[in-house]
């Protein structure tokens, strides 16, 4: 084979490979739509969070285990930790890329890590906040170039990010637990008495990863949603602040109680031994 023939084959091969790559990219599922319609005006919230976040694991007392909460604004009391700004806006993708390495450094054997992410895994893959993960739990990936910065990044599925969180925690000898999302103030329709669940999307995918990885899954979304349905639409309005996703103090307490209930009711979950006893009415 002369060199001209070799180069011809090489060019054809590279073109074919590129065509396959581009074709595979086009087959990736479109990102989730932003159903929350929350406008986050704190574009530097992650930078602020870095100035206010305690060092992961710094609350440890002696050799006692530490409970780590991995989540977004629905899990914490504001970017600065004081409740005055709840819109940190992290997705499974942006948390894994920008925050996770600092967290996992502080995790030790026998610690507990609760992971609840998903409300922000939406919007475009490659522009704006560029925080969308690929829907589902597959191993597919997407190479993107962020339009505003030119930075190249590989995007994975929601399930793959959760899988990586779990496997990193396991590698430390610690205990991961996956939670479904806190419910929104969203009803099936204007006349409905049923809160919209995430059991066909993020709740389902988190459950599937938990089953795959043989770890606990707690359906926080359903536990709180059932309470909201008993409260009714007017009372549920008081569970939220400014929008349909960020809770007021009332709503935060309901979700915290639901989380504790889920931990208690999960058979054999040792973490339940660390919860305070339920206060009984004395009247």
């Amino acid at each position: 084979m002369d060199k001209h023939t070799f180069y011809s084959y090489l060019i054809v091969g590279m073109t074919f490979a590129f065509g396959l790559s581009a074709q595979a990219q086009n087959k990736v599922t479109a990102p989730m739509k932003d159903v929350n319609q929350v406008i986050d005006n704190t574009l530097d919230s992650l930078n602020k969070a870095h100035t206010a976040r305690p060092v992961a694991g710094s609350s440890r007392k002696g050799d006692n285990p530490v409970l780590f909460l991995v989540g977004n604004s629905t899990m914490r009391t504001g970017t600065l930790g004081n409740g005055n700004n709840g819109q940190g806006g992290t997705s499974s993708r942006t948390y894994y890329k920008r925050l996770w390495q600092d967290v996992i450094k502080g995790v030790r054997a026998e610690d507990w890590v609760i992971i609840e992410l998903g409300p922000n895994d939406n919007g475009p893959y490659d522009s704006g906040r560029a925080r969308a993960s690929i829907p589902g739990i597959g191993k597919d990936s997407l190479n993107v170039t962020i339009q505003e910065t030119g930075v190249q990044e590989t995007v994975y599925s929601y399930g793959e990010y959760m899988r990586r969180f779990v496997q990193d925690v396991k590698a430390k000898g610690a205990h991961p637990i996956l939670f479904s999302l806190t419910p929104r103030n969203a009803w099936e329709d204007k006349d409905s008495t049923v809160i919209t669940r995430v059991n066909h999307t993020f709740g389902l995918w988190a459950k599937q990863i938990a089953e795959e990885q043989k770890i606990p899954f707690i359906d926080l979304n359903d536990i709180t949603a059932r309470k909201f349905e008993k409260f009714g639409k007017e009372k549920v309005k008081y569970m939220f602040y400014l929008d349909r996703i960020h809770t007021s103090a009332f709503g935060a307490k309901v979700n915290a109680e639901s989380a504790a209930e889920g931990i208690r009711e999960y058979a054999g979950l040792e973490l339940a031994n660390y919860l305070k006893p339920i206060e009984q009415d004395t009247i």
Side-chain angles (χ1 to χ4, degrees):
M1 180 185 294
D2 59 39
K3 66 178 183 180
H4 296 293
T5 304
F6 171 76
Y7 284 127
S8 296
Y9 275 114
L10 181 62
I11 291 170
V12 170
M14 291 175 64
T15 303
F16 180 68
F18 176 79
L20 283 179
S21 176
Q23 187 179 34
Q25 297 277 307
N26 291 335
K27 288 185 177 180
V28 168
T29 305
M32 300 286 285
K33 293 182 179 180
D34 183 5
V35 297
N36 299 317
Q37 297 298 310
V38 174
I39 298 175
D40 189 342
N41 294 318
T42 57
L43 298 179
D44 60 346
S45 58
L46 279 174
N47 292 330
K48 287 184 178 179
H50 278 301
T51 68
R53 290 166 64 87
V55 175
S58 60
S59 63
R60 191 182 306 277
K61 303 296 183 183
D63 292 326
N64 292 317
V66 171
L67 174 63
F68 293 81
L69 302 180
V70 173
N72 47 57
S73 56
T74 62
M75 185 184 267
R76 65 180 307 179
T77 57
T79 298
L80 301 181
N82 58 10
N84 69 349
N85 179 348
Q87 299 176 27
T90 52
S91 65
S92 63
R93 169 183 168 185
T94 55
Y95 197 108
Y96 184 80
K97 181 181 178 183
R98 300 184 64 177
L99 299 175
W100 179 238
Q101 291 308 310
D102 287 337
V103 174
I104 196 64
K105 287 177 186 176
V107 176
R108 297 184 188 174
E110 303 306 323
D111 284 344
W112 297 87
V113 183
I114 293 176
I115 305 163
E116 183 217 315
L117 288 162
N120 300 312
D121 283 57
N122 52 49
Y125 289 127
D126 61 353
S127 64
R129 304 199 72 186
R131 58 188 181 176
S133 59
I134 300 171
I137 64 171
K139 293 283 190 176
D140 43 336
S141 62
L142 177 67
N143 295 321
V144 301
T145 300
I146 308 303
Q147 295 179 19
E148 291 84 353
T149 63
V151 172
Q152 295 182 336
E153 183 180 349
T154 301
V155 181
Y156 300 97
S157 72
Y158 171 80
E160 176 62 17
Y161 286 115
M162 303 302 274
R163 189 180 286 118
R164 293 183 179 204
F165 288 130
V166 169
Q167 291 175 347
D168 286 351
V169 173
K170 283 183 173 181
K172 288 293 191 84
H175 309 289
I177 303 174
L178 295 187
F179 273 43
S180 58
L181 316 182
T182 57
R184 297 177 296 126
N185 182 15
W187 306 78
E188 288 296 287
D189 57 58
K190 66 182 181 65
D191 298 319
S192 179
T193 58
V194 177
I195 286 282
T196 301
R197 306 294 205 274
V198 293
N199 54 357
H200 294 294
T201 54
F202 297 106
L204 171 63
W205 302 330
K207 181 179 181 181
Q208 289 172 330
I209 294 298
E211 291 173 348
E212 172 193 292
Q213 296 293 315
K214 297 179 173 56
I215 65 167
F217 168 75
I218 293 175
D219 198 348
L220 178 62
N221 187 262
D222 185 62
I223 297 172
T224 292
R226 284 187 274 116
K227 295 177 181 179
F228 284 176
E229 288 164 353
K230 291 181 179 178
F231 294 161
K233 290 183 178 180
E234 288 305 311
K235 185 173 180 179
V236 167
K237 290 178 182 178
Y238 292 97
M239 301 292 112
F240 292 84
Y241 179 68
L242 296 181
D243 55 52
R244 299 189 304 157
I245 186 171
H246 295 99
T247 55
S248 63
F250 296 120
K253 289 178 180 178
V254 171
N255 282 326
E257 290 172 356
S258 295
E261 289 171 22
I263 292 169
R264 284 194 182 93
E265 293 170 5
Y266 193 94
L269 188 55
E270 185 184 345
L271 182 59
N273 298 332
Y274 294 93
L275 295 175
K276 291 182 178 180
I278 299 175
E279 295 183 2
Q280 302 293 331
D281 292 333
T282 58
I283 297 177

